[in-house]
Amino acid sequence: MWIQLGASFAAVLVMAGAAWALRLGGGGGIASEAEAIETADALLSGFEGRRAQLGSDGRAAVVTGADGSLALLKLHGARIAVRRLYPPFATQPTPEGLRVASGEARFGAVTLRGVEGLPASG
């Protein structure tokens, strides 16, 4: 019985180590404005990011596009999900930060923690 328990515990540690090595699960985030712009450009066809603003927790960002549209990014598990928004933008200041509605029920609204307004285009 003790051998089975020890083997099971060792197997759990090996799996946790593999998940950590593969960067699976939490701990990720949007690290920089450059990463947010690069991600938006890569995931949205024809989008050309100009300026980004990150939430203070690294879980969300908004990127202003050359054409005046926005890319709304949010961490979804270990990946970044993105939606393109066109004016007018549905935003609401909250005590936590700026809430930006995506217009999609499944994607939902995103709160940019520590952010007060959208980045200026340019």
Side-chain angles (χ1 to χ4, degrees):
M1 177 177 137
W2 290 106
I3 293 174
Q4 281 182 316
L5 183 62
S8 295
F9 184 68
V12 168
L13 290 178
V14 168
M15 295 301 290
W20 175 80
L22 294 172
R23 300 180 74 191
L24 300 175
I30 303 168
S32 66
E33 287 187 29
E35 180 184 351
I37 292 169
E38 183 179 310
T39 300
D41 288 351
L43 296 178
L44 296 173
S45 178
F47 187 81
E48 190 177 332
R50 294 288 188 220
R51 186 160 186 272
Q53 193 159 356
L54 305 179
S56 62
D57 61 358
R59 298 189 56 80
V62 63
V63 179
T64 302
D67 63 355
S69 66
L70 293 180
L72 185 61
L73 288 74
K74 76 174 182 177
L75 206 58
H76 184 73
R79 300 181 185 254
I80 299 173
V82 61
R83 294 295 186 272
R84 192 171 193 167
L85 307 178
Y86 294 95
F89 308 114
T91 63
Q92 176 185 15
T94 70
E96 295 84 31
L98 184 67
R99 183 176 168 89
V100 182
S102 71
E104 291 182 33
R106 291 191 69 175
F107 191 82
V110 172
T111 299
L112 296 162
R113 301 205 183 282
V115 172
E116 295 180 9
L118 293 175
S121 58

